Amino acid sequence: MQNEQNTITNVPVLTLDSDAVLETAQSKADLIWHEIQNAYRTKKILTGMLGGIEKTENGSLIAIVYYKDFRTVIPITEMMINLIQDESHDYGDISLRQNKVLNNMLGCEIDFIVKGLDAQSRSVVASRKEAMLKKRQIFYLDRDASGNSKIYEDRIVQARVVAVAEKVVRAEIFGVETSILARDLSFDWLGDARDRFHVGEHILVRILSVTAESLDKITVKADVKSVEGNTSKENMKKCKIQGKYAGTVEDIHKGTVFVRLSIGVNAIAHSCYDSRTVGKKDEVSFVVTHIDEERNVAVGLISRIIRQNL
């Protein structure tokens, strides 16, 4: 009976379109497993999604990456999380810090090279570190006939967002991770990078500088705002002195309120005529008293809070 069931399962499903072949879940899984086996033999770089963090029985951290629904295990030592550990960077237990970094990376897209397979359980062990080092060699150290690398200053490239905090985005640029501060993300006031950038997405960045001494010593600085361009300068023409405009409070620092006006202009207010305390994300009415052309911002005051972000 068991053999009969297997025979029936292996027969292609007859579809309404008699020329088409409908793939079963099992046949799809078999194809993907075959692809993983080939990648293991050829050391091909695969790309998956960081979907989980677990601890082994001996307490070691492992990252769980999913490649087309196949669970792949990457030991923390193979995740290329380089935390500085010295007297000036003593932030406590290294495993807790690694766990925190991985938590911030959940949902990101990462490359890996398969290091081991178990055909019976169809389990996979891999290394992100090897994949990143391989990409570093190809894009930063290898040279073309003209003696140039693929990544160079002023080039616009695609990057992966691997972590986002309030004031910084962590991006991976072909095997090298770099932090892009809020001031380099947009010409617009950006109070919280998490409002605009998300783990797992692809963004375009401009390479500001690159230093490649060896596989282990590569640093990249990049920005996003020079790719997007500055629309505030053009929008400033719409802004009139004594004009009143709606806006959103993006940030507050040392008594200065940073407002993004609905007409697409950055504005600064040093006072608020509303008796209520102004806060981030409040919608406000802003009166322009003068325009700072050098800094390309409107300066004025908040006449009232239209809606508070409670």
Side-chain angles (χ1 to χ4, degrees), residues 128-170:
R128 182 190 185 217
K129 181 179 179 179
E130 276 203 26
M132 291 178 77
L133 292 178
K134 188 173 183 178
K135 276 199 164 182
R136 288 183 179 195
Q137 182 67 48
I138 295 167
F139 291 94
Y140 294 91
L141 297 179
D142 288 351
R143 305 285 169 172
D144 60 20
S146 304
N148 300 316
S149 62
K150 287 184 172 65
I151 305 288
Y152 50 83
E153 190 176 319
D154 208 40
R155 185 168 193 186
I156 296 173
V157 302
Q158 200 171 40
R160 292 177 178 142
V161 176
V162 295
V164 184
E166 185 180 14
K167 299 294 184 184
V168 66
V169 165
R170 188 79 176 163

Side-chain angles (χ1 to χ4, degrees), residues 12 18 40 48 53 73 103 109 122 146 158 180 207 227 255-256 270:
S18 60
Y40 174 54
I53 308 160
V73 172
N103 266 299
E109 188 179 82
R122 287 197 167 180
S146 304
Q158 200 171 40
I180 306 175
I207 304 298
V227 179
T256 301
H270 294 287

Side-chain angles (χ1 to χ4, degrees), residues 117 150-151 156 182 192 200 208 223 231 243-244 265 269-270 272 291:
L117 297 173
K150 287 184 172 65
I151 305 288
I156 296 173
D192 193 335
L208 301 179
D223 81 349
T231 57
K244 187 180 287 187
V265 169
H270 294 287
C272 177
I291 294 170

Side-chain angles (χ1 to χ4, degrees), residues 259-277:
V259 182
R260 182 66 179 173
L261 302 183
S262 58
I263 57 173
V265 169
N266 290 334
I268 291 175
H270 294 287
S271 57
C272 177
Y273 283 2
D274 199 301
S275 59
R276 294 168 291 177
T277 302

Side-chain angles (χ1 to χ4, degrees), residues 266-270 286-292 295 297-301:
N266 290 334
I268 291 175
H270 294 287
F286 184 92
V287 179
V288 178
T289 55
H290 75 275
I291 294 170
D292 186 334
R295 296 170 64 194
V297 296
V299 182
L301 54 91

